[in-house]
Amino acid sequence: MSTAGLKGINAVGHKGWVTVKCRICAKKLDLTLDVVYVCPYCKDRYDAYFCAADAKRLHYKCPFCGRQLEPITPWLRAQQPRRRI
């Protein structure tokens, strides 16, 4: 059976798969444990992930586009009330 080249940092269990850095303070954030906010529009372009402290400091608005930041932490997202449009 082949490992298909999945060694080291490419292995599925590696910490790099669930770790991102805050765009402002460069704090390492674990997506499974920490509260992480993201701009859905700037996420891919600028790597716009923010820690809870910096998101509060920014008034939950993206500094790049001005849109609302959203939590991507699964347990926090489940607790948010649904918005009616």
Side-chain angles (χ1 to χ4, degrees):
M1 182 176 220
S2 165
T3 61
L6 294 176
K7 296 179 182 177
I9 62 169
N10 294 328
V12 178
H14 190 268
K15 214 53 171 151
W17 286 73
V18 293
T19 304
V20 294
K21 282 191 172 185
C22 176
R23 186 71 175 159
I24 296 176
C25 65
K27 178 181 176 183
K28 289 184 180 178
L29 303 167
D30 188 350
L31 294 175
T32 59
L33 299 175
D34 298 325
V35 178
V36 179
Y37 289 88
V38 66
C39 176
Y41 301 99
C42 299
K43 173 177 64 171
D44 298 327
R45 181 184 247 176
Y46 300 114
D47 245 0
Y49 296 97
F50 303 99
C51 63
D54 286 328
K56 185 177 180 181
R57 191 175 304 129
L58 293 169
H59 303 285
Y60 303 100
K61 301 281 184 187
C62 178
F64 302 112
C65 65
R67 293 186 173 113
Q68 189 75 24
L69 294 177
E70 296 179 0
I72 59 171
T73 308
W75 59 268
L76 186 62
R77 182 172 245 181
Q79 293 177 356
Q80 278 188 332
R82 300 229 180 221
R83 294 183 190 174
R84 293 185 181 177
I85 298 176

